Structure formats: C-alpha cells, structure tokens
Amino acid sequence: MPNIDVNGATLAYDEAGVGSPVVLLHAGIADRRMWRGQLAALAARHRVVALDLRGYGESDLPSTPFAHHDDVVGLLDALGIERAALVGCSFGGSVAIDTALAHPDRVTALALFGTAVSGYEWSAETSDLWDSLVGDVPAEDLDAMAAAEVRFWVVGPGREPADVDPDLVAFAQQMDRRALAAEAALGDVITGELDPPAVGRLGELRMPVLVQVGAADVPDIGRLAAKITAEAPAATRLPDVPDAGHLLPLEHPDRVNEALLDFLA
C-alpha cells in the first residue's frame, strides 16, 4: 500500500499498469477496496490509481481545512500526472464532477456509476423509501447504521436482501462501518465545497462523460443520471444494469470493466 503526501495529508492508494492515467474514486459508503474488480482489468491498458479519499480507508485526516476535489488534483501533481480520466461511484462520482469543474484542464473524461452531484436536493421519495426499508436507526450505532445503509443502497429498494450475494453484503457492511466512522470524524473538519455547486453547472462539463446506474438503485440516482446526460454536452448514458444496486462496479465488475475499457479507448 503506497502512501503519498497531498495538501498536508497522507493519502493511501493502489497503483497498477502503464498507459493513459485513470483515477478511481470510491463511494461514500466504501473505500478504495470497492475497485478490487477494476484495478487489474484496467491496468492492462492504463495507469490506474485507486485512492482512499481523505479520512476514508487508510488515508489520514489532519484538522486543516481541505476540499476533496483539490486533493484529487494534488494527487495528480504528486504522482506527476498532468491529466487523467476520473471514474467515480456515488460520492466519488460527485468528487469527480467537482474536480472536472474546478480543474477542467486536468480531467480528460468522466465515468460515473450511480453518481451523486453536489448541490442536489434529495427527494421526499428517498426519505420515504428509507423509512419504509430501514426505519429509525440510531446514528451512534455504527453497526446498525452500516447494516441499514447497505440494505438501502447496496441491496436497494428494487430487491430483497436474499436476492444479493451474502459475501457482497458482508464486505459492503465492513466498508461502510469504516466509512461511517470516517464521516463522523470529517464532521469536525472544515471541508470545502464547490461554489457554486455542480448541480447547476453540468453544462460546463466539456469532456466525454459516461453515465450508468443499477436498475435496483434508488430513483433519485436514475434522475441524476438523466440530468447529467441531458445537460453535459458530451455525455452518454448506458442502459441500466439489471439486478444491480448502488455499488455497481463491485457487484458487476465484468460489466463495468467492459464499459470502461470501451469508453476509455
């Protein structure tokens, strides 16, 4: 596991391959391990870097103010990478979009799986779905909250827990338990946000953009995919993946790898 100093923080990452650079940015309920099915496949053609965002996984969290999108560019600088394609899932997709808007000269392409978008207001339907699927969960009970978030996001409202590989569920809960602790710590640090946020600026994304979601994901994720596809000038939306929730790259690595290799070529 390499570590590298980026903007005063020590960030953990994995790297493999040679060729055009690709940076993988994980979901907020995960860490860089969610890309375990992509690293080797993409490394056959690309220099691939899977990053633990500051505070997540094995990356540390100094008390100094920071912005995730600036850390991504700091990583590129530290690794001697001039420009890279960014691949993001969920929150990692939001960070990828913010990076492309804040530093457009550093990003060659965006591939977004089940992405969030900064500044987006989640619908009342999402809140109602949470209530119906998991109910009231004590925020301080990280084990219960991890189980609830995995039920909501990874299994998704379109499936039952028994429909999903139990090893995948267990691994997702392990990652999310760690991510919840990270988010609690991040709440004590000043985190810079893109201003204005990305939700009103998708038309500024001039690079190629690939968008895909799992068919069992929450409806707002599909709405965001449609919004990006409609507003980003060079965006393409692939068909939704059947029997897939929010962590699409982890659940269907072969499907995602095929899409990525074709897109990045």
Side-chain angles (χ1 to χ4, degrees):
M1 177 205 73
N3 292 306
I4 198 163
D5 184 73
V6 173
N7 299 333
T10 300
L11 303 186
Y13 68 100
D14 295 318
E15 183 175 1
V18 295
S20 58
V22 179
V23 177
L24 308 177
L25 301 171
H26 61 79
I29 59 172
D31 53 53
R32 75 185 194 277
R33 291 176 293 169
M34 71 160 285
W35 301 108
R36 63 187 185 182
Q38 280 69 52
L39 203 63
L42 296 180
R45 300 183 192 173
H46 301 277
R47 180 184 181 185
V48 188
V49 179
L51 173 68
D52 273 340
L53 293 165
R54 187 185 300 222
Y56 290 88
E58 296 174 297
S59 290
D60 72 357
L61 182 66
S63 59
T64 52
F66 78 102
H68 286 298
H69 54 271
D70 290 335
D71 275 358
V72 173
V73 170
L75 174 75
L76 298 182
D77 290 340
L79 293 176
I81 297 173
E82 183 177 351
R83 304 173 76 220
L86 304 183
V87 180
C89 178
S90 187
F91 174 65
S94 177
V95 173
I97 294 169
D98 286 357
T99 305
L101 291 170
H103 308 277
D105 57 323
R106 306 301 298 274
V107 179
T108 60
L110 292 172
L112 309 168
F113 297 96
T115 195
V117 176
S118 64
Y120 179 74
E121 293 188 13
W122 298 93
S123 69
E125 181 184 8
T126 295
S127 177
D128 292 342
L129 276 173
W130 175 273
D131 290 341
S132 66
L133 287 174
V134 300
D136 188 22
V137 183
E140 67 276 6
D141 188 340
L142 298 188
D143 290 326
M145 184 59 74
E149 288 195 341
V150 168
R151 170 65 186 93
F152 186 75
W153 291 109
V154 180
V155 176
R159 298 186 293 185
E160 295 297 326
D163 299 331
V164 182
D165 179 357
D167 290 337
L168 172 71
V169 170
F171 181 52
Q173 287 185 197
Q174 179 193 91
M175 285 195 295
D176 192 35
R177 173 64 171 77
R178 192 171 188 175
L180 285 165
E183 288 170 354
L186 282 160
D188 296 326
V189 178
I190 297 174
T191 305
E193 306 292 343
L194 189 70
D195 185 22
V199 70
R201 301 174 57 187
L202 297 172
E204 298 175 33
L205 297 172
R206 299 295 173 178
M207 65 288 295
V209 180
L210 183 73
V211 183
Q212 191 170 41
V213 304
D217 209 337
V218 302
D220 270 357
I221 295 299
R223 294 184 187 116
L224 281 170
K227 181 176 177 63
I228 295 166
T229 306
E231 297 181 17
T236 300
R237 181 175 180 180
L238 296 180
D240 295 356
V241 178
D243 190 30
H246 198 52
L247 296 186
L248 182 55
L250 181 64
E251 190 170 5
H252 290 278
D254 292 342
R255 184 83 173 254
V256 167
N257 293 344
E258 181 181 2
L260 281 174
L261 287 168
D262 183 60
F263 174 66
L264 294 171

